[in-house]
Amino acid sequence: MHGGIDSSEIAISLIAPDEYSQASELIVSAYRHLLGDHLDDGYAEHLGNVEGRVESSSVWVAKVDRRLVGCVTFVDDMNSSMAEGLLPNTS
């Protein structure tokens, strides 16, 4: 158990279109917590563009009791616009 949640309680799946908005809010909220006033509106908008990420990568969500609690973007294409800083043979 880590962080008070048993891993058997966590459901992992590819994001569904009806989850884009909630995932966007979660991502921007996490970055706002990390960066505070240094998170400008333009970067926040970029981070929150989940629909744009889905077009060029795999977006996965974690849910506990059907509530979205996490989100990760997996980029496996070196030519993707989301592959900034990705080295060959890594993802």
Side-chain angles (χ1 to χ4, degrees):
M1 187 179 331
H2 181 12
I5 299 174
D6 186 317
S7 63
S8 66
E9 299 172 7
I10 301 172
I12 307 291
S13 63
L14 282 169
I15 195 167
D18 65 341
E19 297 169 322
Y20 292 176
S21 177
Q22 187 179 2
S24 174
E25 291 173 17
L26 181 67
I27 294 163
V28 173
S29 177
Y31 272 81
R32 201 168 300 286
H33 177 78
L34 291 169
L35 301 177
D37 293 338
H38 298 289
L39 178 61
D40 65 62
D41 291 341
Y43 190 48
E45 185 176 325
H46 170 74
L47 291 169
N49 184 8
V50 174
E51 187 172 353
R53 280 198 197 120
V54 170
E55 293 174 4
S56 61
S57 56
S58 299
V59 178
W60 293 82
V61 292
K63 293 178 251 180
V64 174
D65 295 329
R66 296 186 210 151
R67 184 174 62 92
L68 196 136
V69 295
C71 182
V72 64
T73 301
F74 178 75
V75 178
D76 64 352
D77 180 1
M78 287 287 299
N79 297 313
S80 167
S81 62
M82 298 295 298
E84 53 195 44
L86 193 61
L87 299 173
N89 300 314
T90 64
S91 41

